[in-house]
Amino acid sequence: EVQLVESGGGLVQPGGSLKLSCAASGFSFSDSPMHWVRQASGKGLEWVGRIRSRSNFYATVYAASLKGRFTISRDDSKNTAYLQMNSLKIEDTAMYYCTRAYCSGTSCYLAFDHWGLGTLVTVSS
Amino acid sequence: QSALTQPPSASGSPGQSVTISCTGTSSDVGGYNYVSWYQRHPGKAPKLMIYEVSKRPSGVPDRFFGSKSGNTASLTVSGLQAEDEADYYCCSYAGSNNYVFGTGTKVTVL
């Protein structure tokens, strides 16, 4: 069974940093592109960014609105993806989800088939 | 990148159909056939219902139908069942390896 479990959320002051983790199990993590998505209270989902697999050079891409403050990484030996968040702003307060790109057979698609339950990040003084 | 526009709510009686729209621009919905739809029940993780506009992953009932015309994608749920009551989100590829989600629609089964 595919499982994604986020952790590391909490309360942080504006300007602070936080590193989220996403522990994966039940699938070939090292072959899977992994994404982060967030949702502020009462708002819709917002795509944060993505990291590809080793065979794709761990390429990362981010939502332009983040302006370089967030960094996604992964440790395939630990089946874990990370989201490093720096210079946090009040508007970064949200539930953060990791999700896996939908892959079937040898093809991966521009969609997300498994999600974690999220970890809550609150940015407040 | 602005969020895709969805109606806040939609409803239907059991057995009826409900259609949810998802309006974007030529830079996202209209420019690519990479629209996906997600169902989310309270406290649960989102579930992929449709990908590439109209394709269903294994296990998704054929009561769920996706389509697209111009800059607007749609999800139709036919034969509404109580378990279909949930929030639904669309998502579109927006070029340059970016994605944009919809604002979300709460579907109520009357």
Side-chain angles (χ1 to χ4, degrees):
Chain A
E1 180 193 4
V2 173
Q3 278 201 316
L4 297 170
V5 180
E6 302 91 341
S7 61
L11 176 64
V12 61
Q13 292 189 335
S17 296
L18 207 58
K19 187 173 184 177
L20 308 182
S21 299
C22 169
S25 61
F27 66 100
S28 179
F29 176 79
S30 60
D31 293 329
S32 297
M34 297 298 297
H35 298 250
W36 287 90
V37 175
R38 68 183 181 180
Q39 184 172 31
S41 180
K43 300 288 183 90
L45 296 166
E46 180 185 9
W47 179 79
V48 170
R50 175 268 288 146
I51 185 166
R52 283 183 166 156
S53 63
R54 179 183 178 184
S55 61
N56 288 287
F57 310 105
Y58 299 126
T60 55
V61 64
Y62 305 92
S65 61
L66 299 175
K67 291 183 168 46
R69 297 184 296 118
F70 289 11
T71 302
I72 299 174
S73 61
R74 64 192 296 161
D75 185 338
D76 291 343
S77 69
K78 296 182 179 179
N79 283 358
T80 300
Y82 303 97
L83 177 64
Q84 175 70 48
M85 304 183 294
N86 299 328
S87 303
L88 281 163
K89 305 175 181 181
I90 291 176
E91 52 264 38
D92 294 319
T93 295
M95 187 73 80
Y96 284 74
Y97 301 92
C98 69
T99 179
R100 183 185 79 163
Y102 173 50
C103 298
S104 180
T106 57
S107 299
C108 288
Y109 303 92
L110 303 185
F112 317 106
D113 68 341
H114 286 277
W115 300 62
L117 291 177
T119 186
L120 181 63
V121 173
T122 303
V123 184
S124 174
S125 55
Chain B
Q1 195 77 44
S2 298
L4 307 177
T5 300
Q6 296 180 234
S9 63
S11 62
S13 300
Q16 289 186 333
S17 296
V18 65
T19 296
I20 305 165
S21 61
C22 169
T23 301
T25 69
S26 58
S27 297
D28 38 63
V29 175
Y32 307 94
N33 287 323
Y34 296 127
V35 176
S36 52
W37 288 90
Y38 303 85
Q39 175 193 66
R40 191 166 76 177
H41 291 106
K44 298 289 185 70
K47 176 184 178 182
L48 176 65
M49 306 302 285
I50 297 287
Y51 68 102
E52 292 187 354
V53 176
S54 60
K55 298 177 181 178
R56 282 183 301 274
S58 174
V60 173
D62 59 7
R63 302 187 293 105
F64 291 84
F65 176 79
S67 62
K68 190 185 88 166
S69 178
N71 296 337
T72 298
S74 298
L75 175 70
T76 298
V77 185
S78 59
L80 267 176
Q81 300 180 4
E83 68 224 45
D84 299 332
E85 184 162 296
D87 293 330
Y88 290 82
Y89 293 90
C90 61
C91 179
S92 175
Y93 181 69
S96 301
N97 294 302
N98 276 254
Y99 299 79
V100 59
F101 281 90
T103 49
T105 298
K106 181 177 179 58
V107 169
T108 301
V109 180
L110 301 172

